[in-house]
Amino acid sequence: MKKNEVESLILEQMLGNKRGVNVHLNPTKLAQNTVIKNWTDEIKPPTNDPISDFWFAFIDHSPNANFEHPVDYVFINDKTGEKHVVHGTSPPDNLKNLEKIM
């Protein structure tokens, strides 16, 4: 998948062009063994996915609130577009490296 296809998938299919959320996308694909860390945990893409590359996005459902509130870690299979969502309550440690797309 191209980056613009991933952006469309997230903004249109997942969020339905919902407003009032922040969406951040890693600028490049990541390898399956990549671990995303947050304040207290390690968030991993599904290990049963046979494709090694994935896109990572972070969705903040209440961007004007202080954290601990609902957020989503989204892993998108680069080949199939299959989405895996992991719910959380804090931002990823790599947030500063992600590109804000909404």
Side-chain angles (χ1 to χ4, degrees):
M1 297 184 76
K2 295 180 181 177
K3 185 178 171 190
N4 65 333
E5 294 172 319
V6 173
E7 290 176 9
S8 293
L9 185 144
I10 294 168
L11 298 177
E12 296 169 14
Q13 292 180 21
M14 290 186 69
L15 295 174
N17 292 312
K18 178 182 174 182
R19 300 287 178 230
V21 299
N22 283 349
V23 179
H24 301 266
L25 179 65
N26 200 75
T28 59
K29 294 177 272 189
L30 299 171
Q32 186 177 22
N33 61 353
T34 302
V35 175
I36 307 295
K37 295 181 181 183
N38 66 14
W39 293 345
T40 59
D41 294 317
E42 292 183 344
I43 310 298
K44 299 178 185 178
T47 56
N48 61 346
D49 193 331
I51 303 299
S52 61
D53 293 339
F54 67 93
W55 290 92
F56 170 70
F58 171 71
I59 302 174
D60 184 348
H61 294 280
S62 300
N64 296 322
N66 291 327
F67 284 101
E68 303 273 326
H69 64 265
V71 300
D72 290 327
Y73 295 86
V74 182
F75 301 92
I76 300 171
N77 181 307
D78 180 51
K79 302 289 187 217
T80 66
E82 183 178 357
K83 302 173 292 296
H84 300 278
V85 178
V86 177
H87 304 293
T89 58
S90 62
D93 287 350
N94 69 340
L95 184 60
K96 67 180 179 292
N97 299 328
L98 306 180
E99 295 178 357
K100 186 175 178 184
I101 61 171
M102 179 177 174

